[in-house]
Amino acid sequence: MLKLYSFGPGANSMKPLLTLYEKGLDWEQNQLDPRKFEHHSDWYKAINPRGQVPALWDDGEIVTESTVICEYLEDEYPTEVKLRPESSYGKAQMRVWTKWVDEYFCWCVSTIGWHRYVGKMVQHLSDEEFEERVKAIPIPEQQVKWRNARAGFPQDVIDEEMRKIAVSVKRLDDHLRDNEWLVPGQYTLADICNFSIANGMQHGYPELVSKEASPGLMRWIEQINDRPAVKRMFGEVQREIVHENEKR
Amino acid sequence: MLKLYSFGPGANSMKPLLTLYEKGLDWEQNQLDPRKFEHHSDWYKAINPRGQVPALWDDGEIVTESTVICEYLEDEYPTEVKLRPESSYGKAQMRVWTKWVDEYFCWCVSTIGWHRYVGKMVQHLSDEEFEERVKAIPIPEQQVKWRNARAGFPQDVIDEEMRKIAVSVKRLDDHLRDNEWLVPGQYTLADICNFSIANGMQHGYPELVSKEASPGLMRWIEQINDRPAVKRMFGEVQREIVHENEKR
């Protein structure tokens, strides 16, 4: 039996969720609540010492890192639905796109998300309560990010991340105006991993992501939202709202 | 015929070099000279529009990103020498380590390398000559890095990168005290990709990387240097010295 430890359907947690639904695998859902900092609790750090979701439990073995989990599911569970190209060159193209999400695209979008929503989750806490929570975070860089999110990121950081978001949107849109999918000819983990970050930007960044501003990207976002597996996933996996600003 | 475009045997260029040598493949070497900024020249940007090495040409198809190239070589050229575990779980462990190099370890080591050596490559240029070269760089973040390297990175950046280097060394050493290789039981791309960054740190960071300070890491560095394919690679591929500070 597979068990997935994740948050709701957004960002890195969405990658394995979509992969599991597309492949139609049997698995057990273990949804952690970010508002309770469950991913920094001792029981979860016994599963992933880095205190990060998602993590996949497969018969006693634990796989971490969302992109690695997606390829693991392809390696270990070869279903009729293939989310990775057959050709070596196609695999390489897919990995260039998944690597780009992890090294560039996800970070700028994440910082702005933390700035807008996540930081607000901890503003009701006293300094002592907040530092108590920060102490439980095993990755020093994540501690710094939480402190920045609570205090408010400096404006030059916000400006730079917004610049990177515009670069990212243009890169995706340029490609998707001429191609149905990121790897030509096939819906793959490249689409799943990029969509997991890009979906919702039509609401959060309407000046950048819209039918007018980025028609290729918008068409692709809508086309993925129309997939039966994606609809099923959004229907079944509960989304958490970390702050009311995020509601739409 | 395979053609590899790379610098000499160091950092990201070393990853596919070691993979090609371990696998004993036939390939043609195209070594670019970083001192001439050949990777930002128009002829090379026609091969990789991002102006980065390494890149692999395989019968007209071009694969970029060092880690992706290594997996491509495993996918496309299944030799008797296997550099990727057979099991899905082993592959996942390998990818967690190669991902960590690309997202954390290589960046801190790279900044200090640029601070110590690369910046010195451009100090003889006039401001105009330097900006002319920067203009040819297609990635904005790389333009910023060149300007920082020339002007000198701020001390707080250097301090933070040194902190991350110490974290990285400890992570590798902790693991390698108890394990021969990064993925237990087999020499893999995880070792190749980490070694490509770690080798040489015994000279550049002797306070952190030595038999006394990090015996697991040091044993592993020496063990990899003793491999016949690694010795052959260092014997045949010319190393460029970007600045005399770097000689040893």
Side-chain angles (χ1 to χ4, degrees):
Chain A
M1 175 57 105
L2 289 166
K3 292 186 212 174
L4 182 72
Y5 296 88
S6 77
F7 292 154
N12 288 331
S13 286
M14 190 142 86
K15 299 179 189 174
L17 283 167
L18 286 176
T19 305
L20 288 161
Y21 271 88
E22 288 283 351
K23 293 177 76 70
L25 298 172
D26 270 341
W27 57 287
E28 189 185 293
Q29 190 191 339
N30 288 265
Q31 195 163 336
L32 283 78
D33 190 339
R35 292 162 300 195
K36 295 183 186 154
F37 299 84
E38 271 190 287
H39 51 313
H40 304 145
S41 63
D42 289 339
W43 75 263
Y44 184 69
K45 284 188 285 189
I47 292 166
N48 182 2
R50 293 175 69 77
Q52 293 187 306
V53 289
L56 184 79
W57 182 97
D58 188 356
D59 203 17
E61 284 174 338
I62 289 156
V63 183
T64 60
E65 301 288 349
S66 56
T67 308
V68 174
I69 293 171
C70 292
E71 284 227 43
Y72 173 83
L73 290 168
E74 276 299 289
D75 284 328
E76 186 66 9
Y77 298 97
T79 49
E80 242 175 76
V81 174
K82 305 271 177 240
L83 298 171
R84 197 166 51 181
E86 274 302 304
S87 77
S88 307
Y89 182 61
K91 287 189 181 82
Q93 289 177 290
M94 183 193 91
R95 289 180 184 134
V96 168
W97 278 112
T98 58
K99 193 172 156 66
W100 176 72
V101 178
D102 294 352
E103 295 178 12
Y104 192 93
F105 183 33
C106 86
W107 289 102
C108 46
V109 176
S110 163
T111 302
I112 302 298
W114 279 55
H115 181 67
R116 289 184 183 171
Y117 315 120
V118 178
K120 305 226 164 30
M121 271 171 58
V122 288
Q123 274 168 356
H124 66 284
L125 300 176
S126 72
D127 287 355
E128 291 68 31
E129 286 168 329
F130 175 69
E131 281 301 322
E132 202 56 41
R133 300 214 170 166
V134 170
K135 252 184 17 201
I137 303 173
I139 302 179
E141 290 81 11
Q142 287 297 105
Q143 296 188 337
V144 171
K145 196 170 175 185
W146 271 103
R147 291 200 183 100
N148 275 332
R150 186 169 197 243
F153 287 90
Q155 191 57 43
D156 60 331
V157 171
I158 298 299
D159 293 345
E160 171 65 1
E161 300 295 48
M162 288 301 292
R163 183 189 70 75
K164 289 185 176 178
I165 286 175
V167 169
S168 301
V169 166
K170 185 171 173 358
R171 183 170 182 182
L172 285 167
D173 186 52
D174 282 351
H175 187 84
L176 292 165
R177 285 184 189 213
D178 301 324
N179 297 279
E180 186 178 11
W181 305 119
L182 291 175
V183 180
Q186 190 183 343
Y187 180 73
T188 68
L189 298 178
D191 300 295
I192 285 180
C193 292
N194 276 277
F195 174 80
S196 296
I197 306 300
N199 189 45
M201 290 180 76
Q202 64 273 35
H203 307 294
Y205 306 85
E207 70 290 2
L208 292 174
V209 182
S210 70
K211 274 199 171 58
E212 294 69 37
S214 46
L217 176 57
M218 220 28 241
R219 185 268 312 154
W220 171 85
I221 287 176
E222 288 175 355
Q223 199 169 333
I224 296 179
N225 271 298
D226 277 344
R227 294 177 70 86
V230 178
K231 285 185 173 166
R232 221 163 29 244
M233 192 279 291
F234 278 124
E236 291 176 11
V237 184
Q238 212 190 331
R239 178 158 178 254
E240 65 278 302
I241 304 289
V242 298
H243 186 267
E244 60 175 19
N245 281 7
E246 203 187 357
K247 279 184 207 154
R248 49 172 193 260
Chain B
M1 174 56 104
L2 289 167
K3 292 187 212 174
L4 182 72
Y5 296 87
S6 77
F7 292 154
N12 288 330
S13 286
M14 191 142 86
K15 298 178 190 174
L17 284 168
L18 286 175
T19 305
L20 288 161
Y21 271 88
E22 287 285 350
K23 293 177 76 69
L25 297 173
D26 270 342
W27 57 288
E28 189 185 292
Q29 192 191 338
N30 287 265
Q31 196 163 336
L32 284 78
D33 191 338
R35 291 163 300 194
K36 296 182 187 155
F37 299 86
E38 271 189 286
H39 50 314
H40 303 144
S41 63
D42 290 338
W43 74 263
Y44 184 69
K45 283 188 285 191
I47 292 166
N48 183 2
R50 293 176 69 78
Q52 292 188 305
V53 290
L56 184 78
W57 183 97
D58 188 357
D59 202 18
E61 283 174 337
I62 289 158
V63 183
T64 59
E65 300 288 350
S66 57
T67 308
V68 175
I69 294 171
C70 292
E71 283 227 45
Y72 173 83
L73 291 169
E74 276 300 288
D75 284 327
E76 187 66 9
Y77 299 96
T79 49
E80 241 175 78
V81 174
K82 304 270 178 242
L83 298 171
R84 197 167 51 184
E86 274 303 302
S87 77
S88 307
Y89 183 61
K91 286 189 182 80
Q93 289 177 290
M94 183 193 90
R95 289 182 184 132
V96 169
W97 278 111
T98 58
K99 194 173 155 65
W100 176 73
V101 178
D102 293 353
E103 294 178 13
Y104 192 93
F105 183 33
C106 86
W107 290 102
C108 47
V109 176
S110 163
T111 303
I112 302 299
W114 280 54
H115 180 68
R116 289 183 181 170
Y117 316 121
V118 178
K120 304 224 165 31
M121 270 170 60
V122 288
Q123 274 169 356
H124 66 285
L125 300 175
S126 71
D127 287 355
E128 291 70 30
E129 286 168 329
F130 175 68
E131 280 301 324
E132 201 57 41
R133 300 214 170 166
V134 168
K135 254 188 10 204
I137 303 172
I139 302 177
E141 290 80 10
Q142 287 297 106
Q143 296 188 337
V144 171
K145 196 170 176 186
W146 271 103
R147 290 199 184 99
N148 275 333
R150 186 168 197 243
F153 288 90
Q155 190 59 41
D156 60 332
V157 171
I158 298 298
D159 292 346
E160 172 63 1
E161 300 294 48
M162 288 300 293
R163 181 189 70 75
K164 288 185 177 179
I165 287 175
V167 169
S168 301
V169 165
K170 184 170 172 2
R171 183 170 181 182
L172 286 167
D173 186 52
D174 282 351
H175 187 82
L176 292 165
R177 284 182 190 214
D178 301 325
N179 296 279
E180 185 177 11
W181 305 118
L182 291 175
V183 179
Q186 189 183 343
Y187 180 73
T188 69
L189 298 177
D191 300 295
I192 284 180
C193 291
N194 275 277
F195 174 79
S196 296
I197 307 300
N199 189 46
M201 291 180 75
Q202 64 274 34
H203 308 295
Y205 306 85
E207 70 290 2
L208 291 173
V209 182
S210 70
K211 275 201 168 61
E212 295 69 38
S214 46
L217 176 56
M218 218 31 239
R219 184 269 312 153
W220 172 85
I221 288 176
E222 288 175 354
Q223 199 170 333
I224 296 179
N225 271 298
D226 277 343
R227 294 177 70 86
V230 178
K231 285 186 173 167
R232 219 160 35 241
M233 193 278 292
F234 279 124
E236 291 176 11
V237 184
Q238 212 189 331
R239 178 158 178 254
E240 65 276 303
I241 304 290
V242 298
H243 186 268
E244 61 175 18
N245 281 7
E246 203 188 356
K247 280 186 205 150
R248 48 171 192 258

